[in-house]
Amino acid sequence: MFGLGRILGLLVALSGGLVTSQAPELAQQYRQRMNGAMNELGGVIAAFDRDAANNNLSRADILKVYDASTVPVLRDRGLSMRVAIDRYGNLIAQSQAFESLPPIMRPIALLKNPDAVLFKGTVSDFEPAVPVTPHGLVWTALGAIFGGGLSWGLGRLFRRRRVPPVRNIRV
């Protein structure tokens, strides 16, 4: 019969598997948001570059014009464009890093240096999914193994030592 410790151990192992099974899905939902953000930022930056080119200026030139302006809203606009351009570059680098990895490693890449706004949005809107891909099943197994090992190790710490019964020895 199963003891309470074994049932708890099984529950911890299953919980570990359930939690880690969602890592590939979280990475996938983040990638979808990242691609959407890159498309939007790319369009804004392309329009900015077109406006500069239509006025015989480069991106760097128009940013210098914004920086030198005495009008606060124009200086602020220049700063916001620099932030958008930098963020776009970071998202492109992260997207390339994601694409260079096998799917099983993407959850780790996500944790390396996520875009804070995208990560927060992904977590707040996250919808769990059943892991039916090979890498989803591997993450599930890893979580179950980790959870099972953790519960086994903790159980060993708290398990009572069995003292062998004392036998009557006749001399």
Side-chain angles (χ1 to χ4, degrees), residues 48-66:
F48 182 76
D49 289 344
R50 266 193 315 277
D51 291 343
N54 289 341
N55 289 282
N56 297 320
L57 296 169
S58 67
R59 180 189 294 173
D61 293 336
I62 193 66
L63 288 171
K64 286 178 188 173
V65 170
Y66 278 127

Side-chain angles (χ1 to χ4, degrees), residues 23-86:
E25 182 61 23
L26 180 68
Q28 173 62 21
Q29 290 181 26
Y30 178 86
R31 282 178 63 220
Q32 290 171 345
R33 280 182 178 262
M34 181 175 53
N35 288 333
M38 285 177 10
N39 288 339
E40 288 301 313
L41 282 173
V44 168
I45 293 167
F48 182 76
D49 289 344
R50 266 193 315 277
D51 291 343
N54 289 341
N55 289 282
N56 297 320
L57 296 169
S58 67
R59 180 189 294 173
D61 293 336
I62 193 66
L63 288 171
K64 286 178 188 173
V65 170
Y66 278 127
D67 292 342
S69 176
T70 59
V71 180
V73 71
L74 294 178
R75 282 195 314 269
D76 290 347
R77 183 65 183 142
L79 180 61
S80 66
M81 281 307 300
R82 286 182 193 279
V83 168
I85 291 166
D86 288 345

